Amino acid sequence: MKVARLRNLEKVVEGILRKSDLAREDDCYLILEVIREMYPFEVGKTFAQVMFSAKSKGISFESITRCRRKLQKKYPELKNNEVAEIRDKEQEEYREFAKEK
């Protein structure tokens, strides 16, 4: 059952990433959209209520963000291009710095 839930989570996260640029760069927004889609009855509750019932309902913020990273590695088009460009630039600067040593 846990494997089926993770596969379903992957499908939900992938769908959200494909249609929302904001979800690609903001984990909080991605988590909100996943909860909205998978657990619509949680929307409208206070943050404290959601957090208290998260474990029993199978809501894992870590699983959602892990799933995002996995999907972005598998499908590079789902990455936030701005963040990827900054990361690539910093990696290149570090390599140049390391060559000088």
Side-chain angles (χ1 to χ4, degrees):
M1 179 158 169
K2 194 172 188 178
V3 173
R5 187 180 304 165
L6 287 176
R7 285 190 187 137
N8 188 35
L9 178 62
E10 278 187 28
K11 290 177 184 177
V12 170
V13 171
E14 183 178 354
I16 293 168
L17 290 174
R18 289 200 181 276
K19 65 184 173 187
S20 173
D21 290 337
L22 182 57
R24 295 177 189 176
E25 62 189 56
D26 187 345
D27 282 342
C28 291
Y29 180 76
L30 174 63
I31 291 166
L32 173 66
E33 289 301 309
V34 168
I35 291 173
R36 187 176 294 180
E37 191 163 324
M38 294 182 73
Y39 307 99
F41 49 87
E42 293 293 323
V43 176
K45 292 183 178 180
T46 67
F47 182 73
Q49 291 170 320
V50 173
M51 293 305 296
F52 280 124
S53 65
K55 190 171 185 173
S56 65
K57 300 222 184 313
I59 300 170
S60 170
F61 296 173
E62 293 85 9
S63 293
I64 294 169
T65 57
R66 189 178 321 113
C67 188
R68 177 194 48 78
R69 291 189 301 273
K70 179 181 172 184
L71 288 166
Q72 287 178 330
K73 185 175 182 180
K74 187 174 179 180
Y75 305 108
E77 68 272 14
L78 296 179
K79 288 183 180 179
N80 178 359
N81 293 330
E82 216 172 279
V83 172
E85 289 172 9
I86 292 168
R87 186 176 297 126
D88 290 343
K89 182 181 176 190
E90 288 179 356
Q91 284 178 349
E92 187 59 35
E93 289 173 2
Y94 181 79
R95 285 187 191 108
E96 291 299 318
F97 174 77
K99 284 181 186 177
E100 294 174 5
K101 294 287 177 176

